[in-house]
Amino acid sequence: MSKVSIVMGSDSDLQIMSQAAKTLEEFGVDYEMKIISAHRMPDIFVDYAKTAKDRGVSVIIAGAGGAAHLPGMCAALFPLPVIGVPIHTKSLGGVDSLYSIVQMPSGIPVATVAINGAKNAALLALKMLAITDSGLLEKLNTYSESMKDSVASKCEKLESCGYEKYLSDM
């Protein structure tokens, strides 16, 4: 059973939302991925959101651009956490999506990440799942250590060779 569901309203969001899938795969967490529109197929969407928990889904990551109703509608129908990923739009740069997702009414929370922040959405979902999964928590701790080591290594390189050499090696 999939612990995380990744949904998007259009295949144009797939390139961004695939970052969430790749991150979940790196941690060995099962997921399902769907293109589903709350506007164009409301009956199918409602069934999807109402039955997600029964399918074993613990967290939904919902990406949406423009009016960005998908994450909020998921949160209205799904009783567990929903993470919204605002997708960059050509007209307003994704700020429209961000505002639509982050400004949910009281009682219908949607955790919201940065515009195009699907990787962070997956990491947040992993942290939610790690509340009750010590093996996953250990993987997250190892991931955090590797990020720390990477930054320390870059700092050492900069200090040893100077910024000009550092930049030329990038």
Side-chain angles (χ1 to χ4, degrees), residues 6-14 17 34-41 62-65 70-71 87:
I6 301 170
V7 294
M8 64 211 85
S10 169
D11 63 348
S12 64
D13 303 336
L14 185 56
M17 298 307 289
K34 298 194 176 294
I35 297 170
I36 192 164
S37 172
H39 297 122
R40 295 181 197 101
M41 48 197 307
L70 190 63
I87 303 294

Side-chain angles (χ1 to χ4, degrees), residues 2 19-20 26 29 39 61 66 83 100 106 126 154 163-164 170:
S2 302
Q19 296 169 19
E26 288 173 16
V29 171
H39 297 122
I61 299 173
I83 303 167
S100 291
S106 180
L126 291 166
K154 291 173 184 177
Y163 77 89
E164 291 172 342
M170 288 180 79

Side-chain angles (χ1 to χ4, degrees), residues 6 9-10 14 17-18 32 42 46 71 82 92 123 150 159-160:
I6 301 170
S10 169
L14 185 56
M17 298 307 289
S18 67
E32 64 181 23
V46 168
V82 174
L92 297 172
L123 290 167
S150 174
E159 289 173 352
S160 69

Side-chain angles (χ1 to χ4, degrees), residues 4 8 23 30 52 55 60 83 92 119 147 166 168:
V4 179
M8 64 211 85
T23 302
D30 292 333
R55 292 190 314 276
I60 293 175
I83 303 167
L92 297 172
K119 180 175 183 174
M147 285 193 307
Y166 189 92
S168 69

Side-chain angles (χ1 to χ4, degrees), residues 23-154:
T23 302
L24 294 171
E25 288 169 7
E26 288 173 16
F27 283 83
V29 171
D30 292 333
Y31 65 91
E32 64 181 23
M33 183 180 276
K34 298 194 176 294
I35 297 170
I36 192 164
S37 172
H39 297 122
R40 295 181 197 101
M41 48 197 307
D43 52 338
I44 294 169
F45 166 76
V46 168
D47 183 61
Y48 152 79
K50 284 186 171 182
T51 61
K53 185 176 179 297
D54 296 338
R55 292 190 314 276
V57 173
S58 297
V59 182
I60 293 175
I61 299 173
H69 292 131
L70 190 63
M73 288 301 298
C74 285
L77 298 167
F78 179 68
L80 297 172
V82 174
I83 303 167
V85 179
I87 303 294
H88 184 273
T89 57
K90 291 177 183 169
S91 58
L92 297 172
V95 174
D96 49 340
S97 312
L98 174 65
Y99 287 165
S100 291
I101 297 170
V102 80
Q103 292 294 333
M104 291 302 299
S106 180
I108 312 294
V110 174
T112 309
V113 296
I115 296 167
N116 289 352
K119 180 175 183 174
N120 269 355
L123 290 167
L124 181 56
L126 291 166
K127 288 183 176 200
M128 290 172 177
L129 296 173
I131 291 170
T132 58
D133 184 334
S134 60
L136 185 54
L137 181 58
E138 185 57 38
K139 288 179 183 180
L140 284 164
N141 288 336
T142 300
Y143 176 80
S144 293
E145 281 298 313
S146 70
M147 285 193 307
K148 180 177 103 177
D149 293 345
S150 174
V151 173
S153 173
K154 291 173 184 177

